[in-house]
Amino acid sequence: MTLCSIVNVGNPNLKMRSEEVAWDQIKTHEIQSIIDNLLLTMQYHHGAGLAAPQIGTNLRIVTYGFDVNPRYPEAEPVALTMMINPIILTHSHEMQPGFEGCLSLGTLRGEVPRYTELQVKFYDRKGNEIVKAVKGFEARIIQHEIDHLDGKFFIERMSSFEHFGFTEELKIHGIIP
Ligand code: NI
């Protein structure tokens, strides 16, 4: 496993649409290594989630999940999950605002409206097709990470910049925990 450096905003590769992984490639050493590296790099940096383009691979692979996360101290645990070619099948009508950060955007945080519930389809790392219903913070993470696969940052989803800034500054003012 290799700890990768994080690709930061400004790199044009983060604005690209990433490619699907062919099903018959999922079990290859190359794809399994990317998944391992993504997982290791996410956990090292305490990411709630991480998308492959953020470690320099423009393929549709994401990881997310944690028991406790110092970046989101009030978040409930989210099961560690790896998704290949994730697709949102259905989503709630309702959206809720919540603060997000991104390892590619340094310490910036902003309030983003996201669908509260999703049904998502993906391949797991063994190539099994999974359909899963998710809600709350997990649904938020998935929308954030799939956006990365389509070249979008959370700041592009913000409806207002009233609640936006550096983590430390927002904490000082009691806007985030
Ligand atoms: Ni991100």
Side-chain angles (χ1 to χ4, degrees):
M1 279 195 279
T2 310
L3 180 62
C4 302
S5 45
I6 300 287
V7 178
N8 282 311
V9 61
N11 186 317
N13 291 336
L14 288 181
K15 296 302 300 167
M16 285 171 55
R17 186 188 182 279
S18 290
E19 294 290 317
E20 276 77 10
V21 179
W23 182 80
D24 61 5
Q25 295 297 302
I26 291 174
K27 288 185 179 172
T28 61
H29 177 71
E30 187 199 349
I31 297 300
Q32 293 293 317
S33 293
I34 292 166
I35 294 167
D36 287 336
N37 296 345
L38 193 60
L39 200 54
L40 177 73
T41 306
M42 176 185 81
Q43 291 181 326
Y44 178 83
H45 292 284
H46 302 297
L50 194 63
Q54 294 180 276
I55 60 164
T57 301
N58 280 95
L59 288 172
R60 301 184 79 82
I61 304 171
V62 306
T63 60
Y64 67 83
F66 51 85
D67 290 327
V68 285
N69 190 307
R71 285 167 55 81
Y72 301 94
E74 295 195 336
E76 296 286 321
V78 174
L80 197 59
T81 306
M82 283 131 252
M83 292 181 159
I84 299 163
N85 302 348
I87 294 172
I88 294 170
L89 296 176
T90 60
H91 61 74
S92 57
H93 182 68
E94 191 198 351
M95 296 180 104
Q96 255 180 10
F99 271 92
E100 297 181 16
C102 180
L103 294 178
S104 296
L105 288 166
T107 70
L108 287 173
R109 293 289 175 103
E111 196 177 54
V112 189
R114 298 285 190 187
Y115 298 114
T116 54
E117 294 183 41
L118 308 174
Q119 193 182 46
V120 63
K121 183 173 87 167
F122 58 96
Y123 292 123
D124 69 12
R125 66 182 303 167
K126 293 176 180 163
N128 301 309
E129 190 179 278
I130 312 280
V131 175
K132 193 179 176 187
V134 296
K135 58 184 182 178
F137 195 54
E138 184 172 6
R140 175 172 297 282
I141 297 168
I142 291 169
Q143 289 166 82
H144 177 119
E145 300 310 332
I146 291 180
D147 271 353
H148 277 303
L149 305 182
D150 294 323
K152 269 199 165 21
F153 293 104
F154 77 82
I155 48 174
E156 296 172 73
R157 297 290 191 188
M158 292 174 65
S159 50
S160 144
F161 280 86
E162 198 174 331
H163 297 141
F164 175 69
F166 295 122
T167 303
E168 279 315 303
E169 199 66 21
L170 293 166
K171 279 186 179 174
I172 287 167
H173 293 279
I175 297 166
I176 59 169

